Amino acid sequence: MKFKLPLGLLSMVSILAFFSCSKDDDAESAVNESAVITVENVIEGKSMTQFGTFQNAGSSPLINPGESASFTFYAGKGQAVSFAARYENSHDLFFAPANPGIKLYQDNGTPVTGNVSSQIRLWDNGTRANDSALPHPGTLESPLKNVSEIALTIPASQLLKAELTHEGGTKFTLKLTNTSGGTVNETPISAGIWAVSHISGTTLVKEDPIFSPGKLSANGLTELAETGKTTALSQYLTGITGPNSAFSPVLVVVYSGNDNPIFKTGENDREQGLKELSQQGNADVLASFLKTKSGVKEVYVLKDQATNILLPRINGNNGGKVSQTISARKGDRIALATMYGQSNDWFIAAVNNGVDGSTRGDISSIIGLFDSGTLESSFPGAHIGSQPAQTENQPVKQLANPNQFNTLPSLPQMIKVTLQ
């Protein structure tokens, strides 16, 4: 015998079942559509943008009277170059400009060129007695000071000639010539070391890159001042040299289809706002355009509430981090882009067609470094030159990692992106 429900009751059961299923489907859909994207700057910010060594190109590293040595470096407006090299006929004296180093630009932004010897000084490292007979001078533990406070027959600027050449953009060459020959202070000059500090706004991150007058010698400088060797000081500078870049506000877009709406490698800038993002860190122009584009579902611009930008990790502090709840389901695509601050027109973005909307976890592996092709590339950390960078009209391209200047770490050491 078959049991039959009354028609009215059957209808009610069907309706309840429908609403029950709909409610479950909506709950599942809501869970699947909601995600939190987090972008973090994980660069370990360093104080120096560059350093290197120099020596005579001949058989001996010593720069003898009449001989020269040169080195090339990059620096933007407000930055300076410092160096140090041993005065060989001494116990612990060395040549160097006063801190923060040789000025490279006039106040109006014009590059400094020509003879800059007047900025050279001779310094006493404070670790050996000046009046002791060679080769066994007595040891000291005195603060480092300018030799002019003791006595010097010939000014340092007449013993070592410094000539600055601007090579274009932010590139400079400094030539050092030993001019002590025939003077009462004639001396060979050792191989040396040079350094350029990062700049934050108009303030140098480190104004005493190699030495600190009034303090005891440190960080390997004594080895250079007493023996002319650069090994220990190079090791110190290696540890404090590297990137120190912020990221701009982050553009995040949720879309459908197989084409990343932000950019495509091999294509020139579409004049939709990528140029403003990659050159100025302004994501708003591109965000406004994308909101009008077919297939784009959601557009977000993530900004740090305090600084607006994402700062690097400095002195053990965490780097800038931004998070946003987004709406994306399986089949949707998610892409992002942010300017690499210490550049003319580089940006960090999701490669190819981003990630599926259902992806969860760390997605940093799909992030790449790109050149928008709108401005001539410059050395990272020395991009603010005397003149605006030369414009280009080149296709967007992904940069090798490390980049052409071999100064940046791998992407996982620069940015972390997660979806949860």
Side-chain angles (χ1 to χ4, degrees), residues 373-410:
T374 56
L375 289 176
E376 183 179 13
S377 293
S378 66
F379 189 93
H383 59 288
I384 308 172
S386 57
Q387 300 293 333
Q390 183 177 343
T391 58
E392 291 183 331
N393 190 26
Q394 299 293 323
V396 177
K397 65 179 179 181
Q398 185 171 354
L399 296 174
N401 200 349
N403 65 90
Q404 71 235 52
F405 298 103
N406 294 317
T407 59
L408 302 185
S410 64

PDB file of all heavy atoms in Angstrom, residues 373-410:
ATOM      1  N   GLY A 373      58.081  50.837 -19.725  1.00  0.00           N
ATOM      2  CA  GLY A 373      58.579  51.290 -21.016  1.00  0.00           C
ATOM      3  C   GLY A 373      58.286  52.740 -21.333  1.00  0.00           C
ATOM      4  O   GLY A 373      58.409  53.163 -22.480  1.00  0.00           O
ATOM      5  N   THR A 374      57.929  53.528 -20.309  1.00  0.00           N
ATOM      6  CA  THR A 374      57.546  54.924 -20.555  1.00  0.00           C
ATOM      7  C   THR A 374      58.649  55.915 -20.226  1.00  0.00           C
ATOM      8  O   THR A 374      58.635  57.037 -20.710  1.00  0.00           O
ATOM      9  CB  THR A 374      56.292  55.279 -19.743  1.00  0.00           C
ATOM     10  OG1 THR A 374      56.534  55.003 -18.356  1.00  0.00           O
ATOM     11  CG2 THR A 374      55.097  54.461 -20.211  1.00  0.00           C
ATOM     12  N   LEU A 375      59.603  55.508 -19.372  1.00  0.00           N
ATOM     13  CA  LEU A 375      60.750  56.344 -19.033  1.00  0.00           C
ATOM     14  C   LEU A 375      62.011  55.495 -19.043  1.00  0.00           C
ATOM     15  O   LEU A 375      61.971  54.302 -18.757  1.00  0.00           O
ATOM     16  CB  LEU A 375      60.586  56.981 -17.645  1.00  0.00           C
ATOM     17  CG  LEU A 375      59.539  58.079 -17.477  1.00  0.00           C
ATOM     18  CD1 LEU A 375      59.470  58.507 -16.010  1.00  0.00           C
ATOM     19  CD2 LEU A 375      59.841  59.281 -18.351  1.00  0.00           C
ATOM     20  N   GLU A 376      63.125  56.128 -19.356  1.00  0.00           N
ATOM     21  CA  GLU A 376      64.404  55.422 -19.354  1.00  0.00           C
ATOM     22  C   GLU A 376      64.706  54.913 -17.947  1.00  0.00           C
ATOM     23  O   GLU A 376      64.582  55.651 -16.964  1.00  0.00           O
ATOM     24  CB  GLU A 376      65.512  56.365 -19.820  1.00  0.00           C
ATOM     25  CG  GLU A 376      66.878  55.714 -19.934  1.00  0.00           C
ATOM     26  CD  GLU A 376      67.934  56.679 -20.430  1.00  0.00           C
ATOM     27  OE1 GLU A 376      67.659  57.892 -20.449  1.00  0.00           O
ATOM     28  OE2 GLU A 376      69.026  56.214 -20.787  1.00  0.00           O
ATOM     29  N   SER A 377      65.088  53.656 -17.841  1.00  0.00           N
ATOM     30  CA  SER A 377      65.375  53.077 -16.532  1.00  0.00           C
ATOM     31  C   SER A 377      66.641  53.682 -15.936  1.00  0.00           C
ATOM     32  O   SER A 377      67.576  54.051 -16.650  1.00  0.00           O
ATOM     33  CB  SER A 377      65.548  51.558 -16.649  1.00  0.00           C
ATOM     34  OG  SER A 377      64.337  50.937 -16.989  1.00  0.00           O
ATOM     35  N   SER A 378      66.657  53.790 -14.617  1.00  0.00           N
ATOM     36  CA  SER A 378      67.826  54.312 -13.919  1.00  0.00           C
ATOM     37  C   SER A 378      68.181  53.385 -12.767  1.00  0.00           C
ATOM     38  O   SER A 378      67.413  52.481 -12.426  1.00  0.00           O
ATOM     39  CB  SER A 378      67.552  55.725 -13.387  1.00  0.00           C
ATOM     40  OG  SER A 378      66.555  55.695 -12.391  1.00  0.00           O
ATOM     41  N   PHE A 379      69.318  53.635 -12.179  1.00  0.00           N
ATOM     42  CA  PHE A 379      69.777  52.819 -11.062  1.00  0.00           C
ATOM     43  C   PHE A 379      68.792  52.941  -9.910  1.00  0.00           C
ATOM     44  O   PHE A 379      68.482  54.049  -9.470  1.00  0.00           O
ATOM     45  CB  PHE A 379      71.169  53.268 -10.625  1.00  0.00           C
ATOM     46  CG  PHE A 379      71.825  52.371  -9.628  1.00  0.00           C
ATOM     47  CD1 PHE A 379      72.659  51.359 -10.042  1.00  0.00           C
ATOM     48  CD2 PHE A 379      71.599  52.537  -8.270  1.00  0.00           C
ATOM     49  CE1 PHE A 379      73.270  50.520  -9.126  1.00  0.00           C
ATOM     50  CE2 PHE A 379      72.204  51.703  -7.339  1.00  0.00           C
ATOM     51  CZ  PHE A 379      73.037  50.693  -7.780  1.00  0.00           C
ATOM     52  N   PRO A 380      68.274  51.816  -9.383  1.00  0.00           N
ATOM     53  CA  PRO A 380      67.320  51.891  -8.264  1.00  0.00           C
ATOM     54  C   PRO A 380      67.937  52.587  -7.052  1.00  0.00           C
ATOM     55  O   PRO A 380      69.016  52.233  -6.600  1.00  0.00           O
ATOM     56  CB  PRO A 380      67.025  50.418  -7.961  1.00  0.00           C
ATOM     57  CG  PRO A 380      67.342  49.697  -9.222  1.00  0.00           C
ATOM     58  CD  PRO A 380      68.502  50.433  -9.824  1.00  0.00           C
ATOM     59  N   GLY A 381      67.247  53.590  -6.554  1.00  0.00           N
ATOM     60  CA  GLY A 381      67.782  54.348  -5.430  1.00  0.00           C
ATOM     61  C   GLY A 381      68.503  55.604  -5.858  1.00  0.00           C
ATOM     62  O   GLY A 381      68.927  56.398  -5.021  1.00  0.00           O
ATOM     63  N   ALA A 382      68.643  55.824  -7.176  1.00  0.00           N
ATOM     64  CA  ALA A 382      69.287  57.041  -7.685  1.00  0.00           C
ATOM     65  C   ALA A 382      68.481  57.570  -8.864  1.00  0.00           C
ATOM     66  O   ALA A 382      69.027  58.001  -9.860  1.00  0.00           O
ATOM     67  CB  ALA A 382      70.721  56.751  -8.114  1.00  0.00           C
ATOM     68  N   HIS A 383      67.163  57.523  -8.731  1.00  0.00           N
ATOM     69  CA  HIS A 383      66.303  57.850  -9.867  1.00  0.00           C
ATOM     70  C   HIS A 383      65.915  59.312  -9.933  1.00  0.00           C
ATOM     71  O   HIS A 383      65.329  59.758 -10.916  1.00  0.00           O
ATOM     72  CB  HIS A 383      65.034  57.001  -9.817  1.00  0.00           C
ATOM     73  CG  HIS A 383      64.233  57.167  -8.574  1.00  0.00           C
ATOM     74  ND1 HIS A 383      64.645  56.679  -7.368  1.00  0.00           N
ATOM     75  CD2 HIS A 383      63.050  57.778  -8.341  1.00  0.00           C
ATOM     76  CE1 HIS A 383      63.756  56.965  -6.443  1.00  0.00           C
ATOM     77  NE2 HIS A 383      62.778  57.641  -7.001  1.00  0.00           N
ATOM     78  N   ILE A 384      66.209  60.088  -8.884  1.00  0.00           N
ATOM     79  CA  ILE A 384      65.832  61.505  -8.885  1.00  0.00           C
ATOM     80  C   ILE A 384      67.044  62.299  -9.329  1.00  0.00           C
ATOM     81  O   ILE A 384      67.870  62.704  -8.523  1.00  0.00           O
ATOM     82  CB  ILE A 384      65.356  61.954  -7.493  1.00  0.00           C
ATOM     83  CG1 ILE A 384      64.267  61.013  -6.977  1.00  0.00           C
ATOM     84  CG2 ILE A 384      64.824  63.376  -7.530  1.00  0.00           C
ATOM     85  CD1 ILE A 384      63.879  61.257  -5.545  1.00  0.00           C
ATOM     86  N   GLY A 385      67.162  62.516 -10.616  1.00  0.00           N
ATOM     87  CA  GLY A 385      68.327  63.184 -11.161  1.00  0.00           C
ATOM     88  C   GLY A 385      68.123  64.665 -11.360  1.00  0.00           C
ATOM     89  O   GLY A 385      67.142  65.258 -10.927  1.00  0.00           O
ATOM     90  N   SER A 386      69.059  65.300 -12.040  1.00  0.00           N
ATOM     91  CA  SER A 386      69.008  66.740 -12.257  1.00  0.00           C
ATOM     92  C   SER A 386      67.926  67.120 -13.249  1.00  0.00           C
ATOM     93  O   SER A 386      67.381  68.209 -13.208  1.00  0.00           O
ATOM     94  CB  SER A 386      70.366  67.229 -12.768  1.00  0.00           C
ATOM     95  OG  SER A 386      70.720  66.526 -13.960  1.00  0.00           O
ATOM     96  N   GLN A 387      67.622  66.202 -14.173  1.00  0.00           N
ATOM     97  CA  GLN A 387      66.596  66.444 -15.181  1.00  0.00           C
ATOM     98  C   GLN A 387      65.622  65.275 -15.169  1.00  0.00           C
ATOM     99  O   GLN A 387      65.966  64.174 -14.760  1.00  0.00           O
ATOM    100  CB  GLN A 387      67.240  66.574 -16.574  1.00  0.00           C
ATOM    101  CG  GLN A 387      68.253  67.713 -16.690  1.00  0.00           C
ATOM    102  CD  GLN A 387      67.601  69.069 -16.575  1.00  0.00           C
ATOM    103  OE1 GLN A 387      66.432  69.237 -16.896  1.00  0.00           O
ATOM    104  NE2 GLN A 387      68.358  70.056 -16.110  1.00  0.00           N
ATOM    105  N   PRO A 388      64.375  65.513 -15.632  1.00  0.00           N
ATOM    106  CA  PRO A 388      63.444  64.380 -15.739  1.00  0.00           C
ATOM    107  C   PRO A 388      64.023  63.279 -16.609  1.00  0.00           C
ATOM    108  O   PRO A 388      64.779  63.544 -17.552  1.00  0.00           O
ATOM    109  CB  PRO A 388      62.209  65.014 -16.401  1.00  0.00           C
ATOM    110  CG  PRO A 388      62.306  66.474 -16.079  1.00  0.00           C
ATOM    111  CD  PRO A 388      63.778  66.786 -16.062  1.00  0.00           C
ATOM    112  N   ALA A 389      63.701  62.045 -16.283  1.00  0.00           N
ATOM    113  CA  ALA A 389      64.214  60.923 -17.069  1.00  0.00           C
ATOM    114  C   ALA A 389      63.717  61.025 -18.505  1.00  0.00           C
ATOM    115  O   ALA A 389      62.620  61.522 -18.781  1.00  0.00           O
ATOM    116  CB  ALA A 389      63.758  59.610 -16.451  1.00  0.00           C
ATOM    117  N   GLN A 390      64.532  60.549 -19.417  1.00  0.00           N
ATOM    118  CA  GLN A 390      64.176  60.593 -20.831  1.00  0.00           C
ATOM    119  C   GLN A 390      62.977  59.689 -21.101  1.00  0.00           C
ATOM    120  O   GLN A 390      62.906  58.559 -20.652  1.00  0.00           O
ATOM    121  CB  GLN A 390      65.367  60.140 -21.679  1.00  0.00           C
ATOM    122  CG  GLN A 390      65.130  60.206 -23.181  1.00  0.00           C
ATOM    123  CD  GLN A 390      66.371  59.823 -23.963  1.00  0.00           C
ATOM    124  OE1 GLN A 390      67.464  59.811 -23.416  1.00  0.00           O
ATOM    125  NE2 GLN A 390      66.201  59.528 -25.234  1.00  0.00           N
ATOM    126  N   THR A 391      62.005  60.231 -21.842  1.00  0.00           N
ATOM    127  CA  THR A 391      60.803  59.449 -22.135  1.00  0.00           C
ATOM    128  C   THR A 391      61.120  58.355 -23.147  1.00  0.00           C
ATOM    129  O   THR A 391      62.028  58.478 -23.974  1.00  0.00           O
ATOM    130  CB  THR A 391      59.688  60.339 -22.691  1.00  0.00           C
ATOM    131  OG1 THR A 391      60.147  60.994 -23.875  1.00  0.00           O
ATOM    132  CG2 THR A 391      59.279  61.382 -21.671  1.00  0.00           C
ATOM    133  N   GLU A 392      60.349  57.274 -23.052  1.00  0.00           N
ATOM    134  CA  GLU A 392      60.469  56.140 -23.966  1.00  0.00           C
ATOM    135  C   GLU A 392      59.089  55.769 -24.467  1.00  0.00           C
ATOM    136  O   GLU A 392      58.065  56.173 -23.909  1.00  0.00           O
ATOM    137  CB  GLU A 392      61.082  54.927 -23.266  1.00  0.00           C
ATOM    138  CG  GLU A 392      62.529  55.065 -22.882  1.00  0.00           C
ATOM    139  CD  GLU A 392      63.069  53.781 -22.256  1.00  0.00           C
ATOM    140  OE1 GLU A 392      62.278  53.033 -21.637  1.00  0.00           O
ATOM    141  OE2 GLU A 392      64.263  53.527 -22.383  1.00  0.00           O
ATOM    142  N   ASN A 393      59.062  54.983 -25.511  1.00  0.00           N
ATOM    143  CA  ASN A 393      57.813  54.424 -26.013  1.00  0.00           C
ATOM    144  C   ASN A 393      58.076  52.960 -26.350  1.00  0.00           C
ATOM    145  O   ASN A 393      57.985  52.529 -27.494  1.00  0.00           O
ATOM    146  CB  ASN A 393      57.329  55.197 -27.244  1.00  0.00           C
ATOM    147  CG  ASN A 393      55.918  54.798 -27.657  1.00  0.00           C
ATOM    148  OD1 ASN A 393      55.129  54.336 -26.831  1.00  0.00           O
ATOM    149  ND2 ASN A 393      55.600  54.969 -28.930  1.00  0.00           N
ATOM    150  N   GLN A 394      58.408  52.195 -25.290  1.00  0.00           N
ATOM    151  CA  GLN A 394      58.795  50.805 -25.443  1.00  0.00           C
ATOM    152  C   GLN A 394      57.705  49.886 -24.886  1.00  0.00           C
ATOM    153  O   GLN A 394      56.912  50.285 -24.034  1.00  0.00           O
ATOM    154  CB  GLN A 394      60.101  50.537 -24.697  1.00  0.00           C
ATOM    155  CG  GLN A 394      61.281  51.363 -25.189  1.00  0.00           C
ATOM    156  CD  GLN A 394      61.689  50.996 -26.599  1.00  0.00           C
ATOM    157  OE1 GLN A 394      61.644  49.828 -26.983  1.00  0.00           O
ATOM    158  NE2 GLN A 394      62.089  51.994 -27.375  1.00  0.00           N
ATOM    159  N   PRO A 395      57.638  48.653 -25.344  1.00  0.00           N
ATOM    160  CA  PRO A 395      56.648  47.712 -24.807  1.00  0.00           C
ATOM    161  C   PRO A 395      56.898  47.393 -23.333  1.00  0.00           C
ATOM    162  O   PRO A 395      58.034  47.434 -22.863  1.00  0.00           O
ATOM    163  CB  PRO A 395      56.846  46.458 -25.673  1.00  0.00           C
ATOM    164  CG  PRO A 395      57.564  46.928 -26.886  1.00  0.00           C
ATOM    165  CD  PRO A 395      58.424  48.065 -26.449  1.00  0.00           C
ATOM    166  N   VAL A 396      55.837  47.082 -22.618  1.00  0.00           N
ATOM    167  CA  VAL A 396      55.961  46.618 -21.238  1.00  0.00           C
ATOM    168  C   VAL A 396      56.735  45.295 -21.250  1.00  0.00           C
ATOM    169  O   VAL A 396      56.467  44.420 -22.076  1.00  0.00           O
ATOM    170  CB  VAL A 396      54.578  46.395 -20.609  1.00  0.00           C
ATOM    171  CG1 VAL A 396      54.722  45.828 -19.195  1.00  0.00           C
ATOM    172  CG2 VAL A 396      53.793  47.700 -20.576  1.00  0.00           C
ATOM    173  N   LYS A 397      57.691  45.170 -20.339  1.00  0.00           N
ATOM    174  CA  LYS A 397      58.466  43.926 -20.285  1.00  0.00           C
ATOM    175  C   LYS A 397      58.712  43.513 -18.846  1.00  0.00           C
ATOM    176  O   LYS A 397      58.790  44.360 -17.947  1.00  0.00           O
ATOM    177  CB  LYS A 397      59.795  44.082 -21.020  1.00  0.00           C
ATOM    178  CG  LYS A 397      60.749  45.084 -20.405  1.00  0.00           C
ATOM    179  CD  LYS A 397      62.055  45.163 -21.192  1.00  0.00           C
ATOM    180  CE  LYS A 397      63.009  46.195 -20.581  1.00  0.00           C
ATOM    181  NZ  LYS A 397      64.278  46.283 -21.356  1.00  0.00           N
ATOM    182  N   GLN A 398      58.813  42.211 -18.647  1.00  0.00           N
ATOM    183  CA  GLN A 398      59.150  41.702 -17.328  1.00  0.00           C
ATOM    184  C   GLN A 398      60.662  41.742 -17.181  1.00  0.00           C
ATOM    185  O   GLN A 398      61.399  41.354 -18.087  1.00  0.00           O
ATOM    186  CB  GLN A 398      58.638  40.278 -17.128  1.00  0.00           C
ATOM    187  CG  GLN A 398      58.864  39.748 -15.724  1.00  0.00           C
ATOM    188  CD  GLN A 398      58.166  38.414 -15.466  1.00  0.00           C
ATOM    189  OE1 GLN A 398      57.413  37.937 -16.309  1.00  0.00           O
ATOM    190  NE2 GLN A 398      58.418  37.811 -14.323  1.00  0.00           N
ATOM    191  N   LEU A 399      61.124  42.242 -16.039  1.00  0.00           N
ATOM    192  CA  LEU A 399      62.551  42.372 -15.802  1.00  0.00           C
ATOM    193  C   LEU A 399      63.108  41.102 -15.185  1.00  0.00           C
ATOM    194  O   LEU A 399      62.440  40.429 -14.400  1.00  0.00           O
ATOM    195  CB  LEU A 399      62.830  43.554 -14.867  1.00  0.00           C
ATOM    196  CG  LEU A 399      62.448  44.933 -15.413  1.00  0.00           C
ATOM    197  CD1 LEU A 399      62.634  45.982 -14.334  1.00  0.00           C
ATOM    198  CD2 LEU A 399      63.280  45.286 -16.631  1.00  0.00           C
ATOM    199  N   ALA A 400      64.335  40.802 -15.565  1.00  0.00           N
ATOM    200  CA  ALA A 400      65.014  39.656 -14.950  1.00  0.00           C
ATOM    201  C   ALA A 400      65.210  39.940 -13.477  1.00  0.00           C
ATOM    202  O   ALA A 400      65.242  41.088 -13.037  1.00  0.00           O
ATOM    203  CB  ALA A 400      66.356  39.426 -15.639  1.00  0.00           C
ATOM    204  N   ASN A 401      65.339  38.912 -12.713  1.00  0.00           N
ATOM    205  CA  ASN A 401      65.504  39.066 -11.281  1.00  0.00           C
ATOM    206  C   ASN A 401      66.762  38.300 -10.846  1.00  0.00           C
ATOM    207  O   ASN A 401      66.780  37.084 -10.890  1.00  0.00           O
ATOM    208  CB  ASN A 401      64.280  38.497 -10.566  1.00  0.00           C
ATOM    209  CG  ASN A 401      64.150  39.046  -9.160  1.00  0.00           C
ATOM    210  OD1 ASN A 401      65.056  39.671  -8.646  1.00  0.00           O
ATOM    211  ND2 ASN A 401      63.007  38.789  -8.547  1.00  0.00           N
ATOM    212  N   PRO A 402      67.841  38.965 -10.471  1.00  0.00           N
ATOM    213  CA  PRO A 402      67.948  40.402 -10.270  1.00  0.00           C
ATOM    214  C   PRO A 402      67.912  41.188 -11.573  1.00  0.00           C
ATOM    215  O   PRO A 402      68.102  40.625 -12.645  1.00  0.00           O
ATOM    216  CB  PRO A 402      69.304  40.569  -9.579  1.00  0.00           C
ATOM    217  CG  PRO A 402      70.104  39.387 -10.044  1.00  0.00           C
ATOM    218  CD  PRO A 402      69.108  38.263 -10.173  1.00  0.00           C
ATOM    219  N   ASN A 403      67.660  42.494 -11.466  1.00  0.00           N
ATOM    220  CA  ASN A 403      67.483  43.359 -12.631  1.00  0.00           C
ATOM    221  C   ASN A 403      68.810  43.656 -13.300  1.00  0.00           C
ATOM    222  O   ASN A 403      69.853  43.158 -12.902  1.00  0.00           O
ATOM    223  CB  ASN A 403      66.796  44.655 -12.201  1.00  0.00           C
ATOM    224  CG  ASN A 403      67.691  45.452 -11.255  1.00  0.00           C
ATOM    225  OD1 ASN A 403      68.485  46.267 -11.669  1.00  0.00           O
ATOM    226  ND2 ASN A 403      67.567  45.172  -9.960  1.00  0.00           N
ATOM    227  N   GLN A 404      68.756  44.521 -14.311  1.00  0.00           N
ATOM    228  CA  GLN A 404      69.963  44.791 -15.095  1.00  0.00           C
ATOM    229  C   GLN A 404      71.080  45.445 -14.299  1.00  0.00           C
ATOM    230  O   GLN A 404      72.241  45.402 -14.680  1.00  0.00           O
ATOM    231  CB  GLN A 404      69.611  45.696 -16.293  1.00  0.00           C
ATOM    232  CG  GLN A 404      69.266  47.137 -15.934  1.00  0.00           C
ATOM    233  CD  GLN A 404      67.911  47.552 -16.461  1.00  0.00           C
ATOM    234  OE1 GLN A 404      66.929  46.880 -16.232  1.00  0.00           O
ATOM    235  NE2 GLN A 404      67.875  48.651 -17.160  1.00  0.00           N
ATOM    236  N   PHE A 405      70.739  46.081 -13.166  1.00  0.00           N
ATOM    237  CA  PHE A 405      71.757  46.706 -12.337  1.00  0.00           C
ATOM    238  C   PHE A 405      72.264  45.767 -11.245  1.00  0.00           C
ATOM    239  O   PHE A 405      73.152  46.134 -10.472  1.00  0.00           O
ATOM    240  CB  PHE A 405      71.195  47.981 -11.700  1.00  0.00           C
ATOM    241  CG  PHE A 405      70.795  49.031 -12.707  1.00  0.00           C
ATOM    242  CD1 PHE A 405      69.467  49.226 -13.025  1.00  0.00           C
ATOM    243  CD2 PHE A 405      71.745  49.814 -13.327  1.00  0.00           C
ATOM    244  CE1 PHE A 405      69.087  50.193 -13.944  1.00  0.00           C
ATOM    245  CE2 PHE A 405      71.378  50.785 -14.252  1.00  0.00           C
ATOM    246  CZ  PHE A 405      70.047  50.969 -14.556  1.00  0.00           C
ATOM    247  N   ASN A 406      71.664  44.566 -11.163  1.00  0.00           N
ATOM    248  CA  ASN A 406      72.079  43.559 -10.182  1.00  0.00           C
ATOM    249  C   ASN A 406      72.067  44.102  -8.753  1.00  0.00           C
ATOM    250  O   ASN A 406      72.994  43.866  -7.971  1.00  0.00           O
ATOM    251  CB  ASN A 406      73.473  43.028 -10.527  1.00  0.00           C
ATOM    252  CG  ASN A 406      73.477  42.262 -11.836  1.00  0.00           C
ATOM    253  OD1 ASN A 406      72.582  41.475 -12.104  1.00  0.00           O
ATOM    254  ND2 ASN A 406      74.484  42.498 -12.654  1.00  0.00           N
ATOM    255  N   THR A 407      71.001  44.825  -8.417  1.00  0.00           N
ATOM    256  CA  THR A 407      70.936  45.431  -7.094  1.00  0.00           C
ATOM    257  C   THR A 407      69.756  44.945  -6.262  1.00  0.00           C
ATOM    258  O   THR A 407      69.726  45.194  -5.057  1.00  0.00           O
ATOM    259  CB  THR A 407      70.811  46.956  -7.213  1.00  0.00           C
ATOM    260  OG1 THR A 407      69.629  47.268  -7.961  1.00  0.00           O
ATOM    261  CG2 THR A 407      72.016  47.551  -7.903  1.00  0.00           C
ATOM    262  N   LEU A 408      68.792  44.273  -6.853  1.00  0.00           N
ATOM    263  CA  LEU A 408      67.591  43.896  -6.124  1.00  0.00           C
ATOM    264  C   LEU A 408      67.601  42.422  -5.750  1.00  0.00           C
ATOM    265  O   LEU A 408      68.139  41.597  -6.478  1.00  0.00           O
ATOM    266  CB  LEU A 408      66.344  44.192  -6.959  1.00  0.00           C
ATOM    267  CG  LEU A 408      66.149  45.645  -7.410  1.00  0.00           C
ATOM    268  CD1 LEU A 408      64.815  45.802  -8.107  1.00  0.00           C
ATOM    269  CD2 LEU A 408      66.258  46.597  -6.238  1.00  0.00           C
ATOM    270  N   PRO A 409      66.987  42.090  -4.623  1.00  0.00           N
ATOM    271  CA  PRO A 409      66.879  40.682  -4.240  1.00  0.00           C
ATOM    272  C   PRO A 409      65.788  40.008  -5.054  1.00  0.00           C
ATOM    273  O   PRO A 409      65.133  40.636  -5.890  1.00  0.00           O
ATOM    274  CB  PRO A 409      66.495  40.760  -2.760  1.00  0.00           C
ATOM    275  CG  PRO A 409      65.712  42.031  -2.661  1.00  0.00           C
ATOM    276  CD  PRO A 409      66.378  42.990  -3.625  1.00  0.00           C
ATOM    277  N   SER A 410      65.552  38.729  -4.813  1.00  0.00           N
ATOM    278  CA  SER A 410      64.480  38.022  -5.504  1.00  0.00           C
ATOM    279  C   SER A 410      63.132  38.562  -5.039  1.00  0.00           C
ATOM    280  O   SER A 410      63.015  39.155  -3.963  1.00  0.00           O
ATOM    281  CB  SER A 410      64.565  36.524  -5.218  1.00  0.00           C
ATOM    282  OG  SER A 410      64.362  36.282  -3.835  1.00  0.00           O
TER     283      SER A 410
END
